[in-house]
Every structure is written in C-alpha cells, then in structure tokens.
Amino acid sequence: MIEVLRKLSVILLMTVAFAACTRVEPVYNVEEDVVPTATQQKLSSEQVGKIIAKVAIEKGWTVNEIKPGNLHCTLKWHDHSAIVDITYSKTDYSIELDSSQNLKESDGMIHRKYNERVRDLQNEIDKRLSQVAYK
C-alpha cells in the first residue's frame, strides 16, 4: 500500500511540474499580417487603423494612437498587464510585445494567456478586415 502511495505521489508531482512548465511559451508576435487585397482597394491606411483600434477596444484593450500608423495598446486582467505596439498600413499590420507585468516574461518566453489574447485580437482583426472586402 505504501508503495502505491509513493508511485501516486511521484505521478502527481510530475503532473504538477509538467503543468507549471507549459504555462510559458515563446512570445507570439504578429509580423506583417496582410490586409486582404480587396480591402486594400477600399480602405485608406487611416481606416485600417480605425478598424484595428475598434477591435482592440472591443477586446478590452486601451488604445492610444502614438502617431499615424502606430497604436500603443494596454490590456489588464487580474494582476496581469501587457502592452503591445501595433503598426499598420494599408497593406499589413504587426503586433509586437512592448512590456508586461506578472506574465512570467523572460528570455523571449511569456505566459500562454498573453499569447491567447494576442491571437484572439489578431483573429478578430483579420475577420473584420475580411468583412470589408465583401461588403
């Protein structure tokens, strides 16, 4: 019986250790995600930026326009926060991590929840930009 408990303890410890290791992953940056060609023909760079800003706000990000073509966006949840720079033009956009708090950021790694939020933002931006092409 004691041997079984030891084995279960080891398995439990390994499971917890593995789960802790998988909370961080490489930082996900969006690099030059292409605006659909049909959308490029319909929108100016400024209009692309407005769509990106609107989506970010709807997803809970605070958006500040640094200059045309550059947004500085902050997302806060629980005791975590992330700041990204979004650069955009008529033809593409990028999302790059600027800084974070309490997201285990180190050596190009970050908590997976950050990456989930950036992918969610990217997916919604792509969806909205594609919708413009078919209106």
Side-chain angles (χ1 to χ4, degrees), residues 85-101:
D85 284 316
I86 301 177
T87 56
Y88 62 87
S89 68
K90 184 176 178 154
T91 59
D92 60 56
Y93 72 93
S94 298
I95 304 172
E96 185 174 333
L97 177 65
D98 179 47
S99 63
S100 69
Q101 285 188 317

PDB file of all heavy atoms in Angstrom, residues 85-101:
ATOM      1  N   ASP A  85       2.693  47.200 -29.184  1.00  0.00           N
ATOM      2  CA  ASP A  85       2.709  48.214 -30.231  1.00  0.00           C
ATOM      3  C   ASP A  85       2.127  47.581 -31.479  1.00  0.00           C
ATOM      4  O   ASP A  85       2.554  46.497 -31.887  1.00  0.00           O
ATOM      5  CB  ASP A  85       4.135  48.691 -30.513  1.00  0.00           C
ATOM      6  CG  ASP A  85       4.635  49.636 -29.443  1.00  0.00           C
ATOM      7  OD1 ASP A  85       3.871  50.529 -29.047  1.00  0.00           O
ATOM      8  OD2 ASP A  85       5.774  49.471 -28.989  1.00  0.00           O
ATOM      9  N   ILE A  86       1.145  48.243 -32.051  1.00  0.00           N
ATOM     10  CA  ILE A  86       0.553  47.779 -33.301  1.00  0.00           C
ATOM     11  C   ILE A  86       0.914  48.796 -34.373  1.00  0.00           C
ATOM     12  O   ILE A  86       0.576  49.975 -34.263  1.00  0.00           O
ATOM     13  CB  ILE A  86      -0.977  47.639 -33.208  1.00  0.00           C
ATOM     14  CG1 ILE A  86      -1.365  46.660 -32.096  1.00  0.00           C
ATOM     15  CG2 ILE A  86      -1.557  47.191 -34.560  1.00  0.00           C
ATOM     16  CD1 ILE A  86      -2.854  46.512 -31.882  1.00  0.00           C
ATOM     17  N   THR A  87       1.640  48.341 -35.363  1.00  0.00           N
ATOM     18  CA  THR A  87       1.936  49.183 -36.514  1.00  0.00           C
ATOM     19  C   THR A  87       1.080  48.693 -37.674  1.00  0.00           C
ATOM     20  O   THR A  87       0.830  47.492 -37.803  1.00  0.00           O
ATOM     21  CB  THR A  87       3.434  49.130 -36.882  1.00  0.00           C
ATOM     22  OG1 THR A  87       3.820  47.780 -37.096  1.00  0.00           O
ATOM     23  CG2 THR A  87       4.291  49.738 -35.780  1.00  0.00           C
ATOM     24  N   TYR A  88       0.622  49.629 -38.475  1.00  0.00           N
ATOM     25  CA  TYR A  88      -0.263  49.242 -39.575  1.00  0.00           C
ATOM     26  C   TYR A  88      -0.078  50.179 -40.758  1.00  0.00           C
ATOM     27  O   TYR A  88       0.393  51.302 -40.638  1.00  0.00           O
ATOM     28  CB  TYR A  88      -1.731  49.263 -39.112  1.00  0.00           C
ATOM     29  CG  TYR A  88      -2.195  50.633 -38.690  1.00  0.00           C
ATOM     30  CD1 TYR A  88      -2.716  51.531 -39.614  1.00  0.00           C
ATOM     31  CD2 TYR A  88      -2.086  51.051 -37.363  1.00  0.00           C
ATOM     32  CE1 TYR A  88      -3.117  52.801 -39.232  1.00  0.00           C
ATOM     33  CE2 TYR A  88      -2.488  52.309 -36.979  1.00  0.00           C
ATOM     34  CZ  TYR A  88      -3.006  53.180 -37.914  1.00  0.00           C
ATOM     35  OH  TYR A  88      -3.391  54.448 -37.534  1.00  0.00           O
ATOM     36  N   SER A  89      -0.476  49.664 -41.893  1.00  0.00           N
ATOM     37  CA  SER A  89      -0.528  50.443 -43.128  1.00  0.00           C
ATOM     38  C   SER A  89      -1.744  49.950 -43.892  1.00  0.00           C
ATOM     39  O   SER A  89      -2.504  49.120 -43.387  1.00  0.00           O
ATOM     40  CB  SER A  89       0.748  50.237 -43.950  1.00  0.00           C
ATOM     41  OG  SER A  89       0.796  48.910 -44.448  1.00  0.00           O
ATOM     42  N   LYS A  90      -1.884  50.409 -45.074  1.00  0.00           N
ATOM     43  CA  LYS A  90      -2.987  49.970 -45.932  1.00  0.00           C
ATOM     44  C   LYS A  90      -2.844  48.496 -46.310  1.00  0.00           C
ATOM     45  O   LYS A  90      -3.824  47.819 -46.583  1.00  0.00           O
ATOM     46  CB  LYS A  90      -2.989  50.852 -47.176  1.00  0.00           C
ATOM     47  CG  LYS A  90      -4.101  50.607 -48.127  1.00  0.00           C
ATOM     48  CD  LYS A  90      -4.042  51.608 -49.267  1.00  0.00           C
ATOM     49  CE  LYS A  90      -5.165  51.299 -50.235  1.00  0.00           C
ATOM     50  NZ  LYS A  90      -5.585  52.449 -50.992  1.00  0.00           N
ATOM     51  N   THR A  91      -1.612  47.982 -46.276  1.00  0.00           N
ATOM     52  CA  THR A  91      -1.350  46.635 -46.783  1.00  0.00           C
ATOM     53  C   THR A  91      -1.114  45.562 -45.718  1.00  0.00           C
ATOM     54  O   THR A  91      -1.264  44.380 -45.998  1.00  0.00           O
ATOM     55  CB  THR A  91      -0.125  46.648 -47.708  1.00  0.00           C
ATOM     56  OG1 THR A  91       1.011  47.126 -46.969  1.00  0.00           O
ATOM     57  CG2 THR A  91      -0.367  47.517 -48.925  1.00  0.00           C
ATOM     58  N   ASP A  92      -0.715  45.964 -44.503  1.00  0.00           N
ATOM     59  CA  ASP A  92      -0.445  44.952 -43.468  1.00  0.00           C
ATOM     60  C   ASP A  92      -0.427  45.589 -42.083  1.00  0.00           C
ATOM     61  O   ASP A  92      -0.487  46.810 -41.946  1.00  0.00           O
ATOM     62  CB  ASP A  92       0.880  44.229 -43.729  1.00  0.00           C
ATOM     63  CG  ASP A  92       2.079  45.153 -43.742  1.00  0.00           C
ATOM     64  OD1 ASP A  92       2.293  45.864 -42.735  1.00  0.00           O
ATOM     65  OD2 ASP A  92       2.803  45.174 -44.754  1.00  0.00           O
ATOM     66  N   TYR A  93      -0.352  44.733 -41.071  1.00  0.00           N
ATOM     67  CA  TYR A  93      -0.215  45.209 -39.694  1.00  0.00           C
ATOM     68  C   TYR A  93       0.615  44.216 -38.899  1.00  0.00           C
ATOM     69  O   TYR A  93       0.734  43.041 -39.265  1.00  0.00           O
ATOM     70  CB  TYR A  93      -1.586  45.434 -39.040  1.00  0.00           C
ATOM     71  CG  TYR A  93      -2.334  44.169 -38.693  1.00  0.00           C
ATOM     72  CD1 TYR A  93      -2.223  43.594 -37.430  1.00  0.00           C
ATOM     73  CD2 TYR A  93      -3.140  43.540 -39.627  1.00  0.00           C
ATOM     74  CE1 TYR A  93      -2.901  42.425 -37.123  1.00  0.00           C
ATOM     75  CE2 TYR A  93      -3.818  42.379 -39.323  1.00  0.00           C
ATOM     76  CZ  TYR A  93      -3.698  41.823 -38.063  1.00  0.00           C
ATOM     77  OH  TYR A  93      -4.369  40.665 -37.759  1.00  0.00           O
ATOM     78  N   SER A  94       1.207  44.721 -37.823  1.00  0.00           N
ATOM     79  CA  SER A  94       2.016  43.893 -36.934  1.00  0.00           C
ATOM     80  C   SER A  94       1.643  44.200 -35.490  1.00  0.00           C
ATOM     81  O   SER A  94       1.253  45.332 -35.168  1.00  0.00           O
ATOM     82  CB  SER A  94       3.506  44.177 -37.131  1.00  0.00           C
ATOM     83  OG  SER A  94       3.903  43.865 -38.445  1.00  0.00           O
ATOM     84  N   ILE A  95       1.762  43.202 -34.630  1.00  0.00           N
ATOM     85  CA  ILE A  95       1.534  43.371 -33.195  1.00  0.00           C
ATOM     86  C   ILE A  95       2.777  42.849 -32.495  1.00  0.00           C
ATOM     87  O   ILE A  95       3.141  41.686 -32.674  1.00  0.00           O
ATOM     88  CB  ILE A  95       0.301  42.582 -32.703  1.00  0.00           C
ATOM     89  CG1 ILE A  95      -0.956  42.974 -33.485  1.00  0.00           C
ATOM     90  CG2 ILE A  95       0.105  42.778 -31.197  1.00  0.00           C
ATOM     91  CD1 ILE A  95      -2.176  42.110 -33.198  1.00  0.00           C
ATOM     92  N   GLU A  96       3.410  43.714 -31.712  1.00  0.00           N
ATOM     93  CA  GLU A  96       4.652  43.333 -31.045  1.00  0.00           C
ATOM     94  C   GLU A  96       4.581  43.668 -29.560  1.00  0.00           C
ATOM     95  O   GLU A  96       4.197  44.779 -29.190  1.00  0.00           O
ATOM     96  CB  GLU A  96       5.828  44.058 -31.688  1.00  0.00           C
ATOM     97  CG  GLU A  96       7.159  43.621 -31.144  1.00  0.00           C
ATOM     98  CD  GLU A  96       8.321  44.251 -31.891  1.00  0.00           C
ATOM     99  OE1 GLU A  96       8.162  44.589 -33.071  1.00  0.00           O
ATOM    100  OE2 GLU A  96       9.375  44.415 -31.278  1.00  0.00           O
ATOM    101  N   LEU A  97       4.987  42.735 -28.735  1.00  0.00           N
ATOM    102  CA  LEU A  97       5.016  42.955 -27.295  1.00  0.00           C
ATOM    103  C   LEU A  97       5.990  44.065 -26.952  1.00  0.00           C
ATOM    104  O   LEU A  97       7.132  44.060 -27.410  1.00  0.00           O
ATOM    105  CB  LEU A  97       5.436  41.666 -26.569  1.00  0.00           C
ATOM    106  CG  LEU A  97       5.586  41.773 -25.050  1.00  0.00           C
ATOM    107  CD1 LEU A  97       4.245  42.068 -24.392  1.00  0.00           C
ATOM    108  CD2 LEU A  97       6.188  40.493 -24.487  1.00  0.00           C
ATOM    109  N   ASP A  98       5.526  45.017 -26.159  1.00  0.00           N
ATOM    110  CA  ASP A  98       6.387  46.083 -25.661  1.00  0.00           C
ATOM    111  C   ASP A  98       6.847  45.747 -24.237  1.00  0.00           C
ATOM    112  O   ASP A  98       8.027  45.757 -23.954  1.00  0.00           O
ATOM    113  CB  ASP A  98       5.649  47.420 -25.690  1.00  0.00           C
ATOM    114  CG  ASP A  98       6.481  48.561 -25.151  1.00  0.00           C
ATOM    115  OD1 ASP A  98       7.649  48.676 -25.553  1.00  0.00           O
ATOM    116  OD2 ASP A  98       5.961  49.331 -24.320  1.00  0.00           O
ATOM    117  N   SER A  99       5.882  45.433 -23.359  1.00  0.00           N
ATOM    118  CA  SER A  99       6.227  45.076 -21.985  1.00  0.00           C
ATOM    119  C   SER A  99       5.059  44.333 -21.344  1.00  0.00           C
ATOM    120  O   SER A  99       3.959  44.295 -21.891  1.00  0.00           O
ATOM    121  CB  SER A  99       6.565  46.334 -21.167  1.00  0.00           C
ATOM    122  OG  SER A  99       5.433  47.173 -21.076  1.00  0.00           O
ATOM    123  N   SER A 100       5.331  43.751 -20.179  1.00  0.00           N
ATOM    124  CA  SER A 100       4.286  43.023 -19.464  1.00  0.00           C
ATOM    125  C   SER A 100       4.565  43.059 -17.967  1.00  0.00           C
ATOM    126  O   SER A 100       5.690  43.343 -17.544  1.00  0.00           O
ATOM    127  CB  SER A 100       4.213  41.569 -19.943  1.00  0.00           C
ATOM    128  OG  SER A 100       5.363  40.861 -19.533  1.00  0.00           O
ATOM    129  N   GLN A 101       3.527  42.757 -17.195  1.00  0.00           N
ATOM    130  CA  GLN A 101       3.665  42.613 -15.752  1.00  0.00           C
ATOM    131  C   GLN A 101       2.997  41.320 -15.326  1.00  0.00           C
ATOM    132  O   GLN A 101       1.880  41.012 -15.749  1.00  0.00           O
ATOM    133  CB  GLN A 101       3.008  43.774 -15.005  1.00  0.00           C
ATOM    134  CG  GLN A 101       3.799  45.053 -15.055  1.00  0.00           C
ATOM    135  CD  GLN A 101       3.194  46.101 -14.132  1.00  0.00           C
ATOM    136  OE1 GLN A 101       1.987  46.258 -14.081  1.00  0.00           O
ATOM    137  NE2 GLN A 101       4.049  46.793 -13.412  1.00  0.00           N
TER     138      GLN A 101
END
